[in-house]
Amino acid sequence: MSTENHPSGAPWRNFYGRFKGKGLRPSQQTYLDEDLAKLSPGPVDWDVNPDREPLDLKSLFGDRDIWLEIGFGGGEHMVHQAVHNPGIGLIGCEPYINGVAMLLGKIRDSGAQNIAVHPGDVRDMFDVLPENSVSRAFLLYPDPWPKKRHHRRRFVTPGYLEPLSRVLKSGAIFRVATDIPDYVRQTLEEVPRHGFTWQAERPADWREPWNDWISTRYEQKALREGRRPHYLTFVKN
């Protein structure tokens, strides 16, 4: 991997997902224009925070516990958690702008007041989150990158897990949901290597969803296509 930097000072980080899909509806563009800046967690991107100063989470959410959703898709789960846990602050990262627009519409409809949104790569967020600041993290139906040569692009690799471990508090919960058996295998191999313990004593612990779970559109697609969801829970050591 090249060690050269972008003109902004950012390290070159390969990104393999989509930033934008089909055209946005006028209402979705309105959400982006009117709401996105107000929901910013602070200066995350390199062009506005070249010195990588940590975010001021206290000014953002006071003394609340901070939860992080990595790749929130259309935002169903994130808004569900925010509404049912008003005493926490929830930060979501998603580079796919269509998903961001969907989330903003759901935030408007729900009235949730405890969400911050970064429309970009979670690795940039990891740069500026203080160490030991996050109490819970979610990785729900991440891109499976099924071809073996692409497995290094998965989230459950050192380039993502090392900074995730750094920002999570001791005792923090890390939840992973996936319908891809090989992703389960890699998750169970890699996540414990980065300071986590898998919380499972019987098959129901990974076959049954969490008590506060809301099934997402990605999960519904997996079920329609005959794939079994797995619900993996880890605790940061």
Side-chain angles (χ1 to χ4, degrees), residues 3-13 45-47 50 52 124:
T3 58
E4 295 179 0
N5 284 357
H6 185 273
S8 68
W12 287 113
R13 285 170 171 161
D45 290 326
W46 282 78
D47 57 343
R52 314 314 284 150
D124 293 333

Side-chain angles (χ1 to χ4, degrees), residues 154-226:
R154 291 174 169 174
F155 183 91
V156 288
T157 51
Y160 291 94
L161 292 174
E162 288 173 3
L164 172 66
S165 181
R166 181 186 67 82
V167 303
L168 287 181
K169 296 179 177 180
S170 177
I173 300 295
F174 177 39
R175 291 181 175 179
V176 181
T178 180
D179 58 306
I180 306 300
D182 188 67
Y183 207 103
V184 174
R185 174 200 60 78
Q186 189 171 351
T187 300
L188 293 177
E189 287 179 358
E190 293 294 333
V191 173
R193 293 174 180 170
H194 293 83
F196 295 86
T197 300
W198 183 31
Q199 303 296 292
E201 297 179 353
R202 60 191 190 280
D205 292 336
W206 67 85
R207 291 178 179 170
E208 296 179 4
W210 301 285
N211 291 336
D212 58 354
W213 177 244
I214 179 174
S215 187
T216 68
R217 60 194 177 112
Y218 295 105
E219 179 167 282
Q220 292 302 310
K221 181 175 186 289
L223 292 170
R224 287 195 302 271
E225 296 176 359

Side-chain angles (χ1 to χ4, degrees), residues 66-82 89-95 103 115-118 120 122 125-126 129 134 136-141 155 164 174-175 213-214 216 218:
I66 305 298
W67 293 5
L68 175 70
E69 185 156 341
I70 301 157
F72 52 71
E76 306 100 313
H77 175 267
M78 189 171 172
V79 171
H80 173 79
Q81 291 289 352
L90 187 53
I91 299 173
C93 297
E94 174 60 65
L103 169 71
I115 292 177
V117 182
H118 172 58
V122 72
M125 175 62 69
F126 287 150
L129 280 172
V134 176
R136 183 167 297 194
F138 305 94
L139 179 70
L140 308 176
Y141 294 96
F155 183 91
L164 172 66
F174 177 39
R175 291 181 175 179
W213 177 244
I214 179 174
T216 68
Y218 295 105

